[in-house]
Amino acid sequence: MTRQRNINGISVAPGLTMGPVHVVRAAPDVIPSWSIPEDQVLTEVRRVHDAVEGVCEELERRRQVVAEQANESDANILAVHAMIVRDPSAITEIEKRIREDRLNAEACVQALIERLESSLSSLDGESIRGYAADASDPWRAVLEELMQTEKRDFVAGDERVILAASQLTPQVATMLDRDRVLAVICETGGRFSHGAVLARSFGFPCVVGLPNLLGRLEQGMRVIVRGDQGTVQLLPTEDDIDAFLVERSRLQARAEALSTQAELPAETPNGHVLEVMANIESIHDFGTFNVEHTDGVGLLRTEFLYMERAQFPSEEEQYRLYRRVFKNMGGRPVTLRTLDIGGDKQLPYFNMPKEANPALGWRGIRVTLRWKDLLRVQLRAALRASAHGDLRLMFPMITTLDEILEIKETIKDLRVQLLEQGYEIAEDVSIGIMIEVPAAVFSLKQMIEEVDFVSVGTNDLVQYLLAADRDNPFVGDLYDPHQPAVIEALSQVAKVAKAAGKSCSVCGEMAGDHMNALLLMGMGYDALSVAPNFISEVKYAVRRTTTQAAEEIFREVALERSGAGVRQALQEAAARLMEVTTAELIQERPPLGSSSGDQKRQEKEGGAL
Ligand code: PEP
Ligand code: MG
């Protein structure tokens, strides 16, 4: 049977790479259990010991990472997890079961997990039930290690690989070891799902919506991933590899040329400056891009800082983290968005209720206004950090004016409280809202006087305007930021904000595309915040386009009656204004030293572009 060699999916993050795949399969619902002959007993016992050691090595690696971030409480929890799985009485219990019941290692570890959970959960009290989960979680990791499944595989191994999974959830994405992942390819997911947002910000190519992907792959199989085109090529021939190398060096030359110009401001030929900021998800983002290329952080998605931990960070821990972000940004503004959990963004240590429609449910500000202490602790930490940098506070999923008034009241109280306690805080902290819910678009006239700035979260606004789940590939075609309804909403927001003299930006993913960026500038947006690896391209586009030309793009787009029409108009504008061949770009670039050494090194490592 011939295998289909090219699979088409949805492009999530650009870039071109080649490498071996590492297939991650979800754990089965039922843990396999089978009888073993006597001469296999020792093999099964050894498997348990090896799995325990594998888990402990991984826990130690993670412990060192969090300890480096001065997060002592999480580091201690990870150390305790290692002690739990090395507990001699638990290991003896598993060994005894293997010997006496003659069952495989997985079944015996599962029996231990069940015993731990049932003995503790039969006792009264929330915290005791919490301990039951704490005691069994590390053993679940041992089970995963034994079965070679699940998310632990997302971080294991030394080789640089292309990760293939059924879905990239935000929880799993935050566990990825960026040094070892060349690209991510998935069977399901949408272009603007939170996992996709993270993949884009990590800078590796990502393609999702690849039908029956896992069924076509074998562990270690070589594939080529074309992030821009949303394609995966299996088992490339020698000719395919030659074509890949040529394409990659062309892209590399272009990326290098763009980056040499990225420190220049995004100033149009007629002297208008657009602020181009970075979207940041993790403190680790800072070694991966040059802060000199940005005008600040336009969106700090703080929930991912919470997700990387084993429990809620304290006020002190958050304060230190935010202070580090300010320090890294060297005085540039930092827009801190308060915790935006709910929907697909869950914290492992915070049990949210199961909801029939999570996207329409308990999300973002709705959670933190109800669980006010979460908001208070985060705001106290942020306000204290404001003494060390230019802080802008931004609130997610705003629907009503009442929410804004309640937030402002809370900030006012906290300010008084902090000053009374002797803390130094900045006098002026701008307060802004995200426009993600259609109601906020239509009530902006009533809201705008209460805020200093607005920032449109198109990832959510598009899903709510078009009633098309951003994570659901079945409505992937309908989820379209170029639909005229979206264009109209975006232009209304800019108009209302400008009329009130307030600054307006877009921080949703669509702003990272350079033609969308020009369209948004033409609508009147004065700042864009994009994943760091799109900054140079966006700035380059802005520097070649006058504001009049950008306004003309908007006028043309506003006449279109369909998403396809809008895209066509943008493509025509790109052909007219922007299409720059790599050869032209390289000519514009200031002379540099040779980079062929780097190129060869990347080729050997299977580096991505
Ligand atoms: C958005 O909705 O566009 C946004 C920036 O927020 P998030 O992607 O984190 O939901
Ligand atoms: Mg959002």
Side-chain angles (χ1 to χ4, degrees), residues 491-557:
S491 99
Q492 264 202 45
V493 170
K495 216 184 289 167
V496 175
K498 293 276 97 182
K502 303 287 167 83
S503 119
C504 59
S505 66
V506 175
C507 62
E509 297 300 306
M510 76 176 285
D513 174 290
H514 65 275
M515 284 313 295
N516 289 340
L518 297 182
L519 168 65
L520 294 166
M521 180 167 80
M523 287 180 185
Y525 284 93
D526 37 36
L528 301 177
S529 191
V530 304
N533 49 330
F534 298 115
I535 289 173
S536 54
E537 187 96 39
V538 166
K539 284 177 120 179
Y540 186 74
V542 171
R543 277 205 310 280
R544 294 173 58 91
T545 312
T546 60
T547 45
Q548 292 82 355
E551 282 158 16
E552 180 59 25
I553 296 176
F554 170 46
R555 270 195 296 278
E556 283 167 10
V557 159

Side-chain angles (χ1 to χ4, degrees), residues 14 32 73 111 114 148 154 173 187-188 270 277 280 286 310 342 358 405 435 447 474 478 512 553 570 608:
S73 50
E114 283 169 13
Q148 291 294 298
F154 278 79
E187 282 186 338
T188 66
N270 59 320
M277 324 262 265
I280 301 290
F286 288 104
L405 298 178
I435 308 290
M447 294 176 171
F474 292 111
L478 198 54
I553 296 176
L570 285 176

Side-chain angles (χ1 to χ4, degrees), residues 58 61-62 151-156 169-178 202 307-308:
E58 185 52 36
R61 191 187 71 77
R62 283 170 55 198
K151 52 190 170 198
R152 281 182 35 72
D153 277 354
F154 278 79
V155 287
T169 64
Q171 287 79 0
V172 169
T174 53
M175 292 174 71
L176 291 179
D177 183 338
R178 302 178 193 197
F202 292 173
M307 241 178 241
E308 289 170 347

Side-chain angles (χ1 to χ4, degrees), residues 206-223:
C206 180
V207 180
V208 301
L210 293 157
N212 189 22
L213 173 70
L214 302 192
R216 305 180 199 205
L217 297 176
E218 278 149 31
Q219 213 62 272
M221 179 192 277
R222 186 185 284 266
V223 304

Side-chain angles (χ1 to χ4, degrees), residues 316-364:
E316 195 56 33
E317 284 169 324
Q318 290 188 56
Y319 161 70
R320 285 200 299 246
L321 212 63
Y322 302 149
R323 212 177 49 183
R324 270 177 71 188
V325 174
F326 284 132
K327 186 155 174 259
N328 282 321
M329 289 310 293
R332 292 172 184 79
V334 172
T335 313
L336 182 151
R337 177 178 77 182
T338 58
L339 189 63
D340 183 23
I341 49 170
D344 67 335
K345 287 188 279 190
Q346 298 285 335
L347 301 177
Y349 44 86
F350 183 57
N351 270 341
M352 305 271 291
K354 281 252 169 306
E355 296 173 277
N357 287 307
L360 299 182
W362 211 38
R363 278 198 60 185

Side-chain angles (χ1 to χ4, degrees), residues 157-168:
D158 288 329
E159 198 182 15
R160 301 190 74 196
V161 291
I162 292 171
L163 218 101
S166 75
Q167 192 177 7
L168 182 64

